[in-house]
Amino acid sequence: MRPFDSRLTGALIDEGRVTDAALVRAQAYAEEKDVRLSEALVSLNVVRQDEVLAAMAGLLGLSYMPTIDIEAVDVELTLDLRSSFTKEQLLLPLWRKGRIIEVGVSDPLSLDGLDSLRLLFDAPLIPVVVPERVLLDVINKVFDRRAGAAKVLEGMDEDQVVNVDDTADAIDFDIDETDDEAPIIRLVNSILSQAVRDRASDVHIEPFERHIAIRFRVDGVLYEIAQPPKRFHASVASRVKVMAGLDIAEKRIPQDGRIKLKVAGRDIDIRLSTLPTSFGERIVMRLLDKTAVLKDLAHIGMGASVLVNMEEMLTKSYGIILVTGPTGSGKTTTLYAGLAKINSPTRNIITVEDPVEYQLPGIGQTQVNTKVGLTFAAGLRSILRQDPDVVMIGEIRDHETAEIAIQASLTGHLVFSTLHTNDAAGAVSRLVDMGVEPFLVASSVVGILAQRLVRTLCKVCRQPVVPNEIELKALGYTRDEFMARTPGHVYAPAGCKECLDTGYMGRTGIYEMLVVDDDIRPLVMDNVDSSTLKKTAIRKGMLTLRDDGARKVLLGETSISEILRVTQDDLLSLE
């Protein structure tokens, strides 16, 4: 046994953490695997790693820190270091105390990394023992913060605003592998990296008279994250357009492109749109995480009654299932979850989408390409000659697509699609407005699901509040009903580091399911207005978006203010 191993094991035995029998097993394991005895004790679950590290620190006369305050770490100490080096050596310079630099290490017996830091800083170092998982988390956060757009902007001057390589034609970029030190390239990379870290769905780069506004849409809400000077705009716009393979010389007309990125091992697909404005080209990028896990129906926020109705519709062999809501309300996610539910080798499922957002194994997915005439209608016609059982149309936008979809449903196909309407009942009116006969709508549509996405409260910082009478009325509850259903309070956002001081973390869906049954069908055929249709469905037990939102407020998942923000149209339609 190595001398230090002997001392360490003795300390653990004295503390009552290791028995004689466990020591014998660990010694045999250490010899067999040729590892330290302390590592063997951890591998055999005799002691935890943090217990070993605490004992090791005590024997070496070092400090042991189970946690590290990220705000206390001096980021400047890492400016000459690569994250790969710190992760490989499992160390990180933390802060200065006079001339001395304290360095977080997870293995104080490994000296190679410390020797390298000593040469780099030419200063005395003191190791501080930190658990490996804590140290890796701090390393990730420090290098993320170091790469932020604000850091890149610091110190950049007029001379550093350089033109990017206009001849580059790469469409696939790995940000982590980009070694180009051009300030504009680092700025764009940092913006995109930060967007991925902050879970942004969209990045806006908007030029104004004296500055650029860089904004992220996180959980459906826009936040401004930086205001670089206006002089950077032309170079930033050119860099982004080069990445998307667009014509950087053409600034008079809108352009669309795509960028494929790899950020921290995650594949990100970006849809880019440019628009000429008075102060220059406005750029909006929609970020799609290709490595995101596709959720199933039971995990996207559906209540029990909606879930039962949806699953029943999925068992049908024909008919149209419509999902409605504004842009960004999660319609595509719901459709994919439905397709995944019924996907099997016995079904031929084909989709036509714009764009294909998720790759679904076993399903044929077609990308709309209007430049060559592949529209939703043209794609749908071809799909019907492919012997499908189930067809998914990304969106019904015109009469032609609607007519083909209805004919497909009437000839024995189950059809999924989306519409842009405010509620479920409004989908019927929208189809009729497109020129579809009411009797065709009544005979083909089996169900309409309206939905919105609401932000979910951060579980770390949410705080209990007692709603006032106005808020209770908006949710459809009296004070007595509220007290009977809750412990007397709901929750409101507060804000902390975990949720970027927004009070919210992530989103969930609220739903309104209109089942076209024998009572609703005659009303559709008579072409009644959507308000009458909705009131009839409510009398039959349909929960509105507001009702489902109120349910989630009582469950503590979201706040009253969030539900009121998202369902204002629903509230007004019922007054």
Side-chain angles (χ1 to χ4, degrees):
M1 185 185 301
R2 299 167 187 170
F4 187 78
D5 264 355
S6 178
R7 291 171 56 201
L8 179 60
T9 306
L12 292 171
I13 292 174
D14 291 343
E15 294 175 6
R17 301 185 187 281
V18 178
T19 63
D20 291 338
L23 179 59
V24 172
R25 285 192 294 119
Q27 287 173 333
Y29 183 91
E31 291 178 5
E32 178 187 349
K33 302 293 185 181
D34 191 25
V35 296
R36 295 178 190 164
L37 183 58
S38 57
E39 294 177 27
L41 290 169
V42 174
S43 297
L44 295 174
N45 295 319
V46 176
V47 292
R48 299 193 309 272
Q49 186 183 48
D50 56 346
E51 293 173 332
V52 171
L53 290 176
M56 189 180 293
L59 288 173
L60 295 172
L62 303 176
S63 298
Y64 173 69
M65 299 187 68
T67 61
I68 294 177
D69 180 6
I70 183 66
E71 297 300 326
V73 177
D74 186 350
V75 178
E76 289 188 6
L77 292 174
T78 70
L79 293 180
D80 293 324
L81 298 176
R82 285 186 174 274
S83 62
S84 56
F85 169 79
T86 59
K87 289 177 181 178
E88 180 183 336
Q89 299 293 332
L90 287 175
L91 50 71
L92 182 73
L94 300 175
W95 42 68
R96 290 182 183 272
K97 290 187 175 178
R99 283 197 68 245
I100 296 173
I101 298 175
E102 293 195 345
V103 181
V105 297
S106 66
D107 183 0
L109 300 181
S110 178
L111 302 178
D112 290 344
L114 287 170
D115 289 340
S116 298
L117 288 186
R118 225 173 252 111
L119 290 173
L120 174 66
F121 292 116
D122 190 23
L125 308 180
I126 294 183
V128 176
V129 183
V130 182
E132 181 177 330
R133 65 183 185 280
V134 175
L135 187 61
L136 285 173
D137 182 55
V138 173
I139 288 173
N140 287 330
K141 289 180 178 178
V142 164
F143 278 89
D144 282 349
R145 188 170 67 177
R146 196 184 84 176
K151 292 289 179 183
V152 177
L153 287 170
E154 287 180 6
M156 288 177 63
D157 55 34
E158 194 88 41
D159 294 335
Q160 291 179 298
V161 184
V162 296
N163 290 325
V164 297
D165 181 5
D166 294 352
T167 63
D169 58 358
I171 309 297
D172 200 335
F173 294 87
D174 187 336
I175 282 182
D176 297 330
E177 298 295 328
T178 301
D179 292 325
D180 200 313
E181 294 300 314
I184 290 299
I185 293 178
R186 288 193 289 117
L187 174 60
V188 172
N189 286 352
S190 70
I191 290 171
L192 295 175
S193 295
Q194 187 174 341
V196 173
R197 291 197 310 274
D198 292 352
R199 302 175 293 107
S201 61
D202 300 85
V203 175
H204 292 233
I205 301 176
E206 303 165 352
F208 295 99
E209 186 176 4
R210 300 182 185 278
H211 69 278
I212 313 169
I214 298 177
R215 301 196 289 173
F216 293 169
R217 187 177 296 278
V218 181
D219 294 334
V221 178
L222 276 171
Y223 300 94
E224 187 165 274
I225 59 105
Q227 279 195 5
K230 178 64 182 296
R231 66 178 183 269
F232 295 132
H233 176 258
S235 297
V236 169
S238 294
R239 172 59 183 168
V240 173
K241 289 167 73 174
V242 164
M243 294 176 73
L246 301 182
D247 182 359
I248 67 170
E250 181 56 78
K251 302 178 182 180
R252 301 164 300 173
I253 60 174
Q255 296 186 68
D256 295 314
R258 302 186 75 167
I259 304 171
K260 292 182 180 179
L261 286 183
K262 188 178 286 290
V263 182
R266 296 161 61 184
D267 291 319
I268 308 296
D269 195 5
I270 297 178
R271 282 183 285 161
L272 176 124
S273 172
T274 71
L275 181 70
T277 68
S278 302
F279 298 109
E281 286 182 290
R282 178 191 177 104
I283 297 170
V284 175
M285 293 178 277
R286 168 67 58 90
L287 277 59
L288 300 172
D289 189 347
K290 308 297 281 188
T291 60
V293 177
L294 182 64
K295 296 182 179 180
D296 58 35
L297 288 173
H299 295 91
I300 58 176
M302 286 186 178
S305 61
V306 174
L307 185 59
V308 167
N309 285 328
M310 188 68 177
E311 290 182 338
E312 182 180 344
M313 290 175 192
L314 293 174
T315 64
K316 296 183 180 294
S317 58
Y318 63 91
I320 297 180
I321 299 173
L322 292 173
V323 181
T324 75
T327 301
S329 59
K331 300 187 296 296
T332 302
T333 299
T334 300
L335 287 179
Y336 281 160
L339 290 178
K341 179 78 175 178
I342 61 175
N343 187 18
S344 74
T346 62
R347 278 193 173 99
N348 182 19
I349 303 175
I350 308 179
T351 74
V352 54
E353 309 169 56
D354 185 23
V356 175
E357 295 189 15
Y358 297 97
Q359 298 294 334
L360 299 177
I363 293 178
Q365 296 174 267
T366 304
Q367 168 77 47
V368 166
N369 187 347
T370 55
K371 294 180 180 178
V372 296
L374 181 53
T375 62
F376 279 115
L380 185 52
R381 280 197 206 91
S382 298
I383 282 175
L384 294 177
R385 293 192 286 270
Q386 292 282 315
D387 184 33
D389 297 299
V390 181
V391 174
M392 195 268 270
I393 312 164
E395 182 184 346
I396 295 178
R397 296 177 178 173
D398 52 40
H399 171 75
E400 185 180 14
T401 307
E403 283 282 3
I404 300 172
I406 287 173
Q407 293 302 323
S409 70
L410 294 175
T411 53
H413 302 88
L414 185 60
V415 179
F416 294 77
S417 193
T418 69
L419 279 175
H420 287 282
T421 62
N422 289 328
D423 58 11
V428 174
S429 301
R430 179 60 56 85
L431 288 173
V432 173
D433 290 343
M434 286 182 183
V436 180
E437 293 292 340
F439 76 90
L440 288 175
V441 177
S443 56
S444 60
V445 178
V446 295
I448 306 169
L449 180 72
Q451 68 178 70
R452 299 287 191 280
L453 289 178
V454 296
R455 293 179 293 172
T456 52
L457 289 165
C458 174
K459 297 295 178 64
V460 176
C461 65
R462 66 177 185 175
Q463 56 188 15
V465 295
V466 178
N468 58 39
E469 298 301 326
I470 297 175
E471 291 172 327
L472 287 176
K473 182 180 178 181
L475 292 181
Y477 289 98
T478 64
R479 177 67 61 180
D480 291 339
E481 288 173 335
F482 173 76
M483 295 303 294
R485 290 171 174 261
T486 69
H489 65 262
V490 291
Y491 289 94
C496 66
K497 294 178 184 177
E498 294 295 323
C499 59
L500 305 177
D501 290 320
T502 64
Y504 297 95
M505 177 73 77
R507 290 191 288 180
T508 187
I510 57 174
Y511 301 91
E512 173 182 292
M513 172 65 81
L514 174 61
V515 179
V516 182
D517 56 16
D518 292 338
D519 294 321
I520 298 296
R521 197 168 290 111
L523 299 177
V524 176
M525 293 182 68
D526 291 340
N527 198 21
V528 301
D529 61 88
S530 60
S531 178
T532 301
L533 201 61
K534 183 169 187 174
K535 289 175 181 176
T536 303
I538 291 173
R539 285 196 298 269
K540 287 175 56 59
M542 182 184 81
L543 296 177
T544 65
L545 291 168
R546 181 201 64 173
D547 296 331
D548 197 31
R551 179 180 68 86
K552 284 183 164 55
V553 169
L554 298 190
L555 290 174
E557 294 181 19
T558 190
S559 65
I560 294 176
S561 59
E562 181 68 4
I563 294 302
L564 296 183
R565 178 183 72 86
V566 171
T567 64
Q568 277 299 321
D569 292 338
D570 189 49
L571 292 170
L572 292 172
S573 67
L574 293 174
E575 290 181 352

